[in-house]
Amino acid sequence: MLLGFLKATSRIRECKTASIARQIHQQIVSLGLLSSPSRPTICSSLASSSSLGTGIVAAYLACGALADALSLLEHLSPSPVLWWNLIIRQYVKEGHLDCALFLCRRMQRVGTKPDHFTFPFALKACGELPSYRRGTVLHAVICSNGFELNVFVCNALVAMYARCGAVEEATYVFKEIISRGIDDVTSWNSVVAAHVKSGNPELALDLFSEMTQKANNMASRRRSDIISLVNILPACASLSALLQAREIHGHAIRNGLFWDIFVGNAMVDVYSKCGAMGDAFKVFNGMEMKDVVTWNAMVTGYSQNGDFDHALELFEKMNAEHISLDVVTWSAVISGYAQRGHGHEALRVFRQMQVSGLEPNAVTIISLLSACASIGAISQGMETHAYAVKKCLLMLDDDYGDGEDLMVQNALVDMYSKCKNFKLAQSLFSSIPLKERNVVTWTVMIGGYAQHGDANDALALFSQMLLKARSIVPNAFTISCALMACARLAALRFGKQIHAYVIRNRYKGTKLYVANCLIDMYSKCGDVDAAQNVFNMMPDKNPVSWTSLMTGYGMHGYGKDALRVFGEMQKVGFVPDGITFLVVLYACSHSGMVDEGLDYFHNMGKAYGVDAGAEHYACVIDLLGRAGRLDEAWEMTKNMPMEPTSVVWVALLSACRTHANVELGEYALGQLLELEPGNDGSYTLLSNIYANAGRWRDVARIRSLMKKSGIKKRPGCSWIQEKKGTVTFFVGDRSHPQSKQIYALLGTLMERIKALGYVPQMHFALHDVDDEEKSCLLSEHSEKLALAYGILTSSPRTPIRITKNLRVCGDCHSAITFISMIVDHEIILRDSSRFHHFKKGSCSCGGYW
C-alpha cells in the first residue's frame, strides 16, 4: 500500500494535463488511498492520505480544471481552507464573481471556515459586481468571526465599499482602522481612491497630505507609494490643481519613484488635463520606458488642449515607429478633428481605424457623432446610431457605473439636434427615463432647440427640467443655452428670472461664462443698461465680456458708447483682435459714424497688426451703403484683395435696396446666387428693389423663379413677450381674441398721426394694386398690429418691446416714429438687423438702418 502511495505521489508531480490528472485520481480512488467523511481509507492511519488528496487538487488547479478540483475538495476530510482560497481567487480573477461568492458559502457548508485570505477575495468580488447588499452581509460575517482587527480584511472592506459607491461606510471602516492603530499605507490608498472616485478630490488631497506625513512609519513603502501617486494624481487633474501636481511630482523624484512607468503615465495625464502641455512633454521626453498608454496620454492631451497639430504629429510618429495603436489613440485623433469642425477628416480616420481591425468603443462613437454634427452629416450619424444599437451601447443598464450608455444617448440627441432633425432628437430624449437623464441630457436638448430649432421649446424644456428633474441642477452650459433662447426671442421677463436663479444658486467657477451670456441676453432683449450693470458687477472680465457689451451698444445704435468701451478695454491691457474690430465697425455702421469707422478700418493693420478679412470689408461696405455712399461701397467691393464672400454681396445688395439702384442690385444678386443659390433673403431683396422701381413684371419673375427653385420666402412676423408667453402677429392677422380692439385702436392711431403729418409710403406695399389698397395693406403689417396690442395691454409709461424676424418695413418705421409722439410709452423694436428705440417722435437709429 505504501508503494502504491509513493507511485501515486510521483505521478501527480509529473502530471501535465487535466485528462492525466483524472486518470491518476481514478487509480488512487480504486486503490483506496483517499479518505472522505463517509468512507475512511485503508491507510487512513497514515497522515499522508490528506496530502495525497491536496496533491490531486493542486494538479487539477495547475491544469485549469477548477470544477474537478472543487468536486474533490468537497469530499476531502479535512478540506483545507488554502485550496478553497485558491479556487475562489481564480474565479475572481476570471470574472466569475457570483461563483466566487457561492463558493464562500459552499466551503462553510462542508465544515471549512474562511480565514483572513478568504474574506479579501470575497470582498473583491462584491466590489467588482458591485453588490453592496452582499458586501454588508460579508461585513457582518467578518465581525462575527473575529476578523475586524485584521488589517488585510479591513483594507478589503474599505475598497469594497468604495467600489460600491458607499463612501460613508468606507470612511467609517477607515476611521475604525485608524482608531485601532492597525492602519498601513494600503488603508490610506484605499480611502484616498474612494474619495477620488466618488468626486471628492479636495478631501482626497487632504488625506494624501496627512498620509505622506505618516509614510515613514509604514511598511511596504515603495510599492504603496507608487499606488498612492497613481491614486491621487487624478484628483489633481479633476481640480486642475497644477501646483499640487507639481508638488507630487517633486515628491516622486525625491523618493525615487518618478521613473516608474505608471507614475510617469499618471504625471503626463495630470499635466495634460491641467493644460500644462510643456510639462507633460518634459515628463514624456524624460521617460526611459514608454508604452501605448504614455503615447495616448500625450496625443489625447494635445487634442483636448486645442493643439491638434502636435497631436497629429505624435499620431503619425506612432505609425512611423510601429507603435501599436489602440482604440484610445484612434478615438483621440477622431475627437481632435471633430472639435475643430473637420468632420470629413474625422470620418476618414474612423474608416482607417475600421480597416486596421479595431472595433470602436463608446468614446469613439461619441467623437464620431460630434464629427457628424459639425458638418450636418445626418446620414453618417444615422449609420453610427445603427452601429451603437447593434453593439448594445444604448441599453441604459449601466451596472458598472461608467455611464457610457447614457453618454452615447446624449451624443445622439446632440447630433440629431445640430442636424436639425428635432423629431428624432426629441424621440430619443423622451425614450430616456426621467430618472436616468443627467444634466448633459437636458442641456443638449435645450441647446439644440435654442441654437437650431424653436427657442420657445428650449425655454419650455428648461422649465420642465427645473420642475420635474429637481435632483438635476442646471450647470453653466444649461443656463447659457436658456439665456441664448431668451436672447433669440427677446424674452426679457424669462431672462430676468434666469438671472435671479443664477444669483440665488451662486454658480461657483462659472460666473464669468454665465455673466457673458447675461450681457448678451440683456443686449438682445433691448435692455442695454442692464447689460452694462452686469458688466460693472463682474470681478473678472475676458475679451468676450468686452466684445459682448460693445456689440450690445452697437446693435442699439449707441456707437459712441461702444467706442468708449473699446477704449476702456485697451486701457486695462486687452489687445484688440479681428473679432473686436468687427464689432467696432458694426457699431460705427449702425450709428452713422462713417469717418470713425473708416479710420479704424484703415488703421487696424498699421496700429494693431490685425489684417482685414472679408467680414471687415463687408462691414465697411455696409457702413458706406447705409450712409448713401454707394459708389464708394461698390469701388471697395471691386478692389478687395480677396474674392468677395456672400456676406459682402448681401451688404451691397442691402445698400442697393435702400438707395433703389436696380442695375447694381441685379449684379450683386447674380454673384450672391453663385455662392448661395438657396438664400431666400437675396431673392426678396431684389424683388423689393424691383417693387420700389415699379417693375412689377420683374417682381413676378423673381417670385416665379423662387417657386420653381423650391425656395420659400420666410413670412414676416412680429411678437411681444408677456406674462403668459409669446403673442405673435402676421400681416393681416385676425386670429387673436382681441382682434377687434386691436384693429379699432390701430385705426384711431393711424388717423391721429395722419393729422400730425404722417404720409403712408406706398412703395413699401410690394403689390401691384391701387394706392387705397396699398394703404390698407400697409396698415395691417405685423409690427403695427403688435404695437397696437402692446398699447392695449401695457400699463402707462412702461416700455413696449416688439421683435420682428425680418427687417422693419420703412412705412412701419415712419408710422411708429409718429405714434411715439402721442403715446406714453417708449417703443423698443428689434428687427433682424438692429434695435430701434422710438421715443417722443424720434428713433435711436438716426436713419441708419
Side-chain angles (χ1 to χ4, degrees):
M1 185 65 65
L2 181 60
L3 181 62
F5 174 80
L6 294 173
K7 286 182 178 179
T9 304
S10 176
R11 291 193 64 192
I12 289 170
R13 289 172 182 167
E14 296 172 358
C15 181
K16 300 293 183 183
T17 65
S19 59
I20 294 174
R22 291 188 190 102
Q23 291 175 8
I24 298 170
H25 185 186
Q26 289 171 359
Q27 291 172 5
I28 290 173
V29 170
S30 64
L31 291 172
L33 297 177
L34 278 180
S35 64
S36 70
S38 59
R39 181 185 170 189
T41 66
I42 300 171
C43 60
S44 58
S45 59
L46 297 172
S48 54
S49 174
S50 178
S51 65
L52 189 61
T54 56
I56 300 172
V57 171
Y60 278 137
L61 287 176
C63 297
L66 295 182
D68 295 288
L70 181 61
S71 176
L72 175 58
L73 194 59
E74 285 184 305
H75 291 86
L76 290 181
S77 179
S79 183
V81 67
L82 167 67
W83 299 102
W84 284 96
N85 288 344
L86 289 173
I87 295 174
I88 291 169
R89 183 181 71 174
Q90 190 63 27
Y91 272 125
V92 172
K93 185 178 178 181
E94 292 179 2
H96 305 305
L97 306 174
D98 287 308
C99 293
L101 294 173
F102 174 71
L103 284 185
C104 290
R105 295 192 298 272
R106 198 165 164 183
M107 69 181 283
Q108 292 177 74
R109 283 201 294 268
V110 299
T112 303
K113 289 186 176 182
D115 63 7
H116 61 286
F117 291 109
T118 316
F119 288 117
F121 297 141
L123 288 167
K124 185 176 182 182
C126 291
E128 290 186 5
L129 275 167
S131 177
Y132 173 79
R133 182 182 60 82
R134 283 183 275 190
T136 54
V137 170
L138 266 177
H139 192 171
V141 173
I142 287 165
C143 292
S144 64
N145 282 272
F147 287 99
E148 68 272 19
L149 294 176
N150 185 285
V151 66
F152 300 109
V153 175
C154 289
N155 288 345
L157 273 169
V158 174
M160 180 274 295
Y161 280 126
R163 288 194 181 103
C164 291
V167 184
E168 289 185 14
E169 288 86 344
T171 304
Y172 174 80
V173 174
F174 174 72
K175 288 179 178 177
E176 287 287 307
I177 296 172
I178 296 293
S179 66
R180 290 167 181 160
I182 59 172
D183 60 297
D184 61 9
V185 175
T186 305
S187 315
W188 289 85
N189 286 343
S190 298
V191 76
V192 167
H195 286 294
V196 172
K197 185 180 179 182
S198 66
N200 296 317
E202 296 95 342
L203 183 55
L205 282 168
D206 290 341
L207 284 168
F208 177 77
S209 177
E210 189 178 344
M211 167 190 173
T212 53
Q213 295 172 11
K214 297 188 175 185
N216 291 332
N217 300 321
M218 296 181 185
S220 305
R221 183 179 171 192
R222 177 175 176 80
R223 175 184 172 83
S224 296
D225 269 352
I226 291 170
I227 298 169
S228 307
L229 295 178
V230 174
N231 275 344
I232 197 59
L233 285 169
C236 298
S238 66
L239 292 170
S240 296
L242 183 58
L243 179 62
Q244 287 91 330
R246 284 175 173 156
E247 289 175 353
I248 294 168
H249 189 175
H251 172 84
I253 292 172
R254 288 193 300 274
N255 288 275
L257 303 169
F258 174 66
W259 301 113
D260 182 272
I261 191 168
F262 295 105
V263 175
N265 289 345
M267 286 305 313
V268 170
D269 182 67
V270 72
Y271 280 137
S272 298
K273 288 176 179 172
C274 289
M277 288 309 300
D279 291 331
F281 183 72
K282 287 178 184 176
V283 174
F284 174 81
N285 233 19
M287 290 175 66
E288 293 180 5
M289 293 284 294
K290 298 183 183 76
D291 58 13
V292 69
V293 176
T294 322
W295 287 86
N296 285 346
M298 284 300 296
V299 172
T300 305
Y302 277 129
S303 179
Q304 291 177 347
N305 283 284
D307 190 355
F308 190 59
D309 291 334
H310 275 108
L312 202 56
E313 184 182 326
L314 274 181
F315 175 72
E316 290 168 354
K317 190 174 181 180
M318 290 177 75
N319 265 322
E321 296 186 10
H322 304 292
I323 296 166
S324 177
L325 304 177
D326 62 12
V327 68
V328 177
T329 325
W330 289 101
S331 298
V333 176
I334 293 168
S335 174
Y337 275 126
Q339 288 168 13
R340 298 180 78 186
H342 297 167
H344 295 292
E345 289 82 353
L347 291 169
R348 176 179 55 78
V349 173
F350 176 68
R351 285 190 285 271
Q352 290 176 0
M353 174 185 170
Q354 288 180 304
V355 170
S356 74
L358 284 173
E359 283 204 0
N361 60 13
V363 176
T364 322
I365 295 298
I366 291 165
S367 300
L368 195 61
L369 289 169
S370 176
C372 294
S374 69
I375 56 173
I378 192 166
S379 297
Q380 290 87 341
M382 293 177 82
E383 289 173 6
T384 308
H385 185 178
Y387 181 89
V389 172
K390 181 181 176 182
K391 294 296 180 180
C392 301
L393 294 174
L394 303 175
M395 303 301 292
L396 286 177
D397 57 350
D398 199 2
D399 294 335
Y400 295 95
D402 53 17
E404 286 187 346
D405 290 349
L406 184 57
M407 288 166 65
V408 174
Q409 289 272 36
N410 292 342
L412 280 165
V413 173
D414 183 57
M415 183 274 295
Y416 282 123
S417 296
K418 288 177 178 174
C419 291
K420 300 181 183 179
N421 191 326
F422 287 99
K423 185 177 179 181
L424 282 175
Q426 183 64 56
S427 176
L428 268 170
F429 176 82
S430 300
S431 71
I432 304 172
L434 184 63
K435 64 178 182 179
E436 299 285 351
R437 297 173 195 167
N438 61 12
V439 67
V440 178
T441 316
W442 289 94
T443 302
V444 293
M445 194 71 247
I446 293 168
Y449 280 127
Q451 294 177 26
H452 308 288
D454 189 336
N456 287 297
D457 289 337
L459 294 181
L461 200 60
F462 181 71
S463 300
Q464 187 184 352
M465 175 185 182
L466 295 179
L467 292 172
K468 289 188 177 180
R470 293 183 180 176
S471 60
I472 305 294
V473 179
N475 60 21
F477 296 104
T478 323
I479 296 294
S480 70
C481 290
L483 289 171
M484 189 185 303
C486 292
R488 278 186 63 191
L489 294 169
L492 182 61
R493 185 187 300 274
F494 208 124
K496 285 182 174 179
Q497 291 172 354
I498 296 173
H499 190 179
Y501 179 88
V502 169
I503 293 170
R504 286 196 306 272
N505 289 276
R506 298 180 182 179
Y507 275 70
K508 294 180 180 178
T510 58
K511 290 182 180 178
L512 179 62
Y513 190 77
V514 173
N516 289 341
C517 293
L518 282 166
I519 293 171
D520 181 67
M521 182 275 295
Y522 277 121
S523 297
K524 290 178 179 174
C525 288
D527 195 346
V528 73
D529 291 334
Q532 179 71 66
N533 289 336
V534 171
F535 180 84
N536 292 341
M537 295 295 291
M538 293 170 66
D540 299 303
K541 302 174 181 71
N542 64 6
V544 177
S545 316
W546 292 92
T547 53
S548 296
L549 185 61
M550 289 164 58
T551 304
Y553 278 122
M555 71 173 62
H556 285 268
Y558 302 145
K560 290 182 180 179
D561 286 305
L563 295 183
R564 168 182 58 79
V565 174
F566 179 61
E568 292 172 1
M569 174 185 176
Q570 295 175 80
K571 286 180 182 177
V572 298
F574 285 104
V575 179
D577 58 10
I579 295 173
T580 315
F581 278 103
L582 272 179
V583 174
V584 168
L585 295 171
Y586 170 85
C588 291
S589 176
H590 284 75
S591 306
M593 301 171 67
V594 182
D595 293 335
E596 292 89 338
L598 290 173
D599 284 342
Y600 280 115
F601 177 73
H602 292 305
N603 290 325
M604 57 188 277
K606 299 174 186 176
Y608 299 95
V610 177
D611 294 328
E615 295 84 0
H616 299 95
Y617 278 92
C619 278
V620 176
I621 290 164
D622 184 64
L623 171 75
L624 293 169
R626 288 175 190 273
R629 295 160 67 168
L630 191 56
D631 291 338
E632 293 177 60
W634 173 228
E635 285 300 316
M636 177 166 280
T637 306
K638 290 190 292 184
N639 296 321
M640 283 175 61
M642 71 284 293
E643 285 294 318
T645 61
S646 58
V647 180
V648 174
W649 293 116
V650 167
L652 188 63
L653 188 57
S654 297
C656 292
R657 183 213 176 198
T658 303
H659 302 289
N661 191 319
V662 178
E663 184 180 352
L664 186 55
E666 287 177 327
Y667 180 79
L669 177 66
Q671 297 299 311
L672 183 56
L673 292 182
E674 287 185 11
L675 299 172
E676 292 184 4
N679 190 325
D680 68 310
S682 309
Y683 288 98
T684 304
L685 278 172
L686 186 60
S687 177
N688 292 348
I689 292 172
Y690 285 140
N692 288 344
R695 292 169 56 170
W696 299 109
R697 287 186 179 179
D698 289 319
V699 171
R701 178 175 57 81
I702 291 293
R703 289 175 180 170
S704 175
L705 182 61
M706 290 177 68
K707 188 175 181 179
K708 287 179 181 177
S709 303
I711 299 169
K712 294 183 179 180
K713 178 183 178 295
R714 284 173 296 164
C717 66
S718 302
W719 63 88
I720 285 183
Q721 292 285 339
E722 56 175 19
K723 288 182 180 179
K724 295 181 181 178
T726 306
V727 181
T728 305
F729 296 92
F730 293 86
V731 62
D733 197 339
R734 296 181 184 271
S735 62
H736 196 276
Q738 292 178 273
S739 283
K740 287 184 179 180
Q741 297 95 311
I742 292 169
Y743 277 92
L745 176 59
L746 188 55
T748 302
L749 290 171
M750 298 305 288
E751 289 301 321
R752 290 181 64 186
I753 63 174
K754 283 177 182 178
L756 294 175
Y758 162 72
V759 178
Q761 300 180 30
M762 301 301 184
H763 58 279
F764 284 104
L766 305 174
H767 297 275
D768 188 14
V769 294
D770 59 39
D771 284 355
E772 185 178 348
E773 192 170 347
K774 284 183 179 180
S775 179
C776 181
L777 289 170
L778 288 173
S779 68
E780 295 182 350
H781 277 193
S782 63
E783 47 268 67
K784 292 189 181 80
L785 296 174
L787 174 57
Y789 176 77
I791 295 170
L792 274 176
T793 57
S794 300
S795 303
R797 292 181 293 279
T798 57
I800 296 173
R801 302 176 188 276
I802 303 168
T803 309
K804 185 174 182 182
N805 65 332
L806 305 176
R807 284 186 64 171
V808 63
C809 156
D811 178 71
C812 290
H813 188 277
S814 174
I816 296 172
T817 304
F818 276 97
I819 290 171
S820 69
M821 298 169 65
I822 60 175
V823 296
D824 196 13
H825 298 279
E826 180 186 4
I827 302 163
I828 304 170
L829 189 151
R830 188 186 97 178
D831 67 10
S832 61
S833 177
R834 57 163 301 144
F835 273 89
H836 302 265
H837 293 253
F838 300 93
K839 194 171 184 179
K840 296 180 180 179
S842 66
C843 178
S844 62
C845 71
Y848 294 96
W849 60 278

